[in-house]
DNA sequence: AGAATAGTGTCTGTCAGACACTATAGA
DNA sequence: TCTATAGTGTCTGACAGACACTATTCT
């Protein structure tokens, strides 16, 4: 039986926690990248993350949030596990295991902060290939994007890429950027109403035409899953 | 920056790989458990798994499969990542990270093997509470069950709990045991036909009434996801 | 014949797509 | 008035649920 009490009986794999933080800005899907200050892949762009501090962190989620806060100065409103990526050859230092989280945030609060540093940037997800990224991080981001696209077909997840107050037009555009296809405004309205997740605000807002109704996620509202996908 | 080249600069968390292997037998959902031979929780039932062997394993999937093969003598036809469970207090030895896989198999081949040993058994998922299991493994199994139930609403995953050749009646029963609700036979037939994943076999088989058509997964067929859930 | 299971035909209900139509703000 | 965007009304289409009906096998 392989589970020994002696904690050092086995060579442990290298374990890290990384995050794929997405936002939607300038009509494109963007991901937060960090220029690596250490080997391996020093100077290349990679995902924000690092080692668990086993003395102060409660769990790996805290690790992910801590590393993201280091880079952005704020905590993302949505964070879930994506997947573990592992292998004997994906890190030159040896067998490595990376737990990847997948997070969403509105661009507004973050961009002010990262404008002050030069090792953290939003990069367009569809333009990563020209970057030659660290490790297998480009592949990881593509997997995260696929998950985001899929979830967007049956949930309102993209609201976390918008400011707290948003209009149907903004949400529609955000969804269309993520799934790379147009949806019917009417279908979105039906979902907003039937989900019961949102509340309409008093004030309406300018939009280039008729004033638009603003909405916000109700306090404590869960993201519900619809039983059908958008089928565009 | 926290990523140092020196592999020993940080205390690594304890990293293990465990699997939740489900099957459907005797009209209930069962999970494969192992009686622990070592501390901690020696003598308690827990999930099959253990440490990665970084010198011989290619990745963590191989770790999961190797440990399962040790216990069952066969490889499960379906295996996917469930989730990582981590924390400073879930293992008395210190901060631990467990990558949990979620697997399905037909009972037939496994039971012959595990009948010869007394530290591996199928246990009913709905009866685990009386066992007082190791670690947080009972909670992990409930999460895996929830994922299996959810996926069963929009995919044909439960075919992996059946032998290679199966009838619609068997699949229907298997699905109903997993989701704990009846479904319409007609709805299942529509899915079998529209998915194009299965082929009808020549020979029909006795079933207590009219002979039943047998099906099998086509070679290399992917499990497709339907765009609507069963809505029972 | 009767019970049991397999399989079909077909109507209803729900919700997404499509798209015309109305409403309202700014230039 | 013209354009742009917001929002409504309503028809169609896809597919799940419901359930009656037929088919086939065994006792």
């Amino acid at each position: 039986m392989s589970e020994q009490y002696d904690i050092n009986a086995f060579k442990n794999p290298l374990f890290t926690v990384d995050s794929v933080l997405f936002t939607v800005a300038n009509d494109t899907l963007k991901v937060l990248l960090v220029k690596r200050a250490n080997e391996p892949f020093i100077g290349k762009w990679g995902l924000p993350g690092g080692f668990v501090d086993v003395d102060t962190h409660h769990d790996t989620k805290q690790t992910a949030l801590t590393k993201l806060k280091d880079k952005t100065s704020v905590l993302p409103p949505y964070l879930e596990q994506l997947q573990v990526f592992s292998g004997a050859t994906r890190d030159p230092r040896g067998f490595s295991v990376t737990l990847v989280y997948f997070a969403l945030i509105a661009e507004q609060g973050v961009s002010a902060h990262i404008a002050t540093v030069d090792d953290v940037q939003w990069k367009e997800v569809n333009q990563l290939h020209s970057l030659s990224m660290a490790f297998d991080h480009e592949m990881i981001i593509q997997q995260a994007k696929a998950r985001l696209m899929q979830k967007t077909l049956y949930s309102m997840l993209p609201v976390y890429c918008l400011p707290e107050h948003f209009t149907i037009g903004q949400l529609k555009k955000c969804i269309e950027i993520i799934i790379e296809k147009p949806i019917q405004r009417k279908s979105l309205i039906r979902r907003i109403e039937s989900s019961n997740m949102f509340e309409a605000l008093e004030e309406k807002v300018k939009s280039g035409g008729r004033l638009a109704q603003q909405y916000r996620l109700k306090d404590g509202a869960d993201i519900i899953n619809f039983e059908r996908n958008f089928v565009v």
Side-chain angles (χ1 to χ4, degrees), chain A:
Chain A
M1 182 103 185
S2 47
E3 297 195 26
Q4 309 293 316
Y5 199 92
D6 178 0
I7 203 169
N8 296 313
F10 277 75
K11 265 192 277 185
N12 252 316
L14 199 63
F15 181 75
T16 54
V17 177
D18 291 328
S19 297
V20 181
L21 177 64
F22 288 119
T23 197
V24 169
N26 298 325
D27 293 355
T28 56
L29 181 65
K30 308 220 178 219
V31 61
L32 190 89
L33 297 183
V34 176
K35 191 177 274 184
R36 291 180 57 82
N38 297 88
E39 291 292 353
F41 296 103
I42 189 168
K44 299 255 184 203
W45 293 94
L47 293 170
F51 295 101
V52 179
D53 182 338
V54 300
D55 295 320
T56 64
H57 293 169
H58 299 114
D59 55 25
T60 53
K61 185 167 190 170
Q62 192 187 348
T63 305
L65 289 171
T66 301
K67 305 292 179 182
L68 281 175
K69 180 137 194 204
D70 283 354
K71 299 302 177 188
T72 63
S73 82
V74 290
L75 292 173
Y78 184 79
L79 181 82
E80 68 164 36
Q81 281 189 28
L82 175 64
Q83 232 202 278
V84 162
F85 296 86
S86 67
T89 58
R90 56 184 291 283
D91 187 314
R93 292 167 292 185
F95 192 107
S96 73
V97 173
T98 299
L99 169 57
V100 179
Y101 282 85
F102 151 55
L104 300 175
I105 200 167
E107 184 226 4
Q108 285 74 12
V110 178
S111 294
H113 176 82
I114 67 175
T116 67
V117 297
D118 66 356
D119 66 336
V120 184
Q121 283 186 23
W122 290 118
K123 296 285 188 184
E124 275 191 41
V125 171
N126 288 334
Q127 305 288 320
L128 296 179
H129 205 61
S130 54
L131 277 187
S132 144
M133 295 185 57
F135 303 102
D136 48 4
H137 286 187
E138 184 178 344
M139 178 273 286
I140 290 173
I141 293 167
Q142 296 308 332
Q143 300 246 121
K145 177 189 166 191
R147 173 104 131 231
L148 174 60
M149 288 173 86
Q150 187 58 33
K151 285 209 166 194
T152 299
L153 296 178
Y154 62 80
S155 79
M156 291 294 192
L157 221 49
V159 290
Y160 291 117
C161 294
L162 296 175
E164 192 193 348
H165 296 180
F166 61 89
T167 66
I168 290 176
Q170 289 170 331
L171 180 55
K172 174 169 182 283
K173 191 162 200 179
C174 180
I175 290 172
E176 290 173 336
I177 289 164
I178 290 169
I179 67 176
E180 298 175 352
K181 275 173 200 146
I183 60 169
Q184 292 285 325
R185 182 184 182 84
K186 182 73 179 185
S187 299
L188 181 57
I189 291 173
R190 279 191 290 237
R191 286 190 168 195
I192 287 177
E193 282 169 0
S194 72
S195 72
N196 217 31
M197 291 165 51
F198 303 99
E199 59 192 10
L201 301 174
E202 302 282 305
E203 349 80 65
K204 311 204 177 201
V205 81
K206 279 190 273 198
S207 68
R210 175 174 169 175
L211 295 185
Q213 178 65 59
Q214 281 191 299
Y215 293 85
R216 64 181 291 275
L217 244 190
K218 284 183 188 168
D219 292 320
D222 282 330
I223 293 288
I224 68 149
N225 294 334
F226 299 97
E227 281 175 355
R228 300 191 193 180
N229 286 358
F230 285 131
V231 66
V232 283

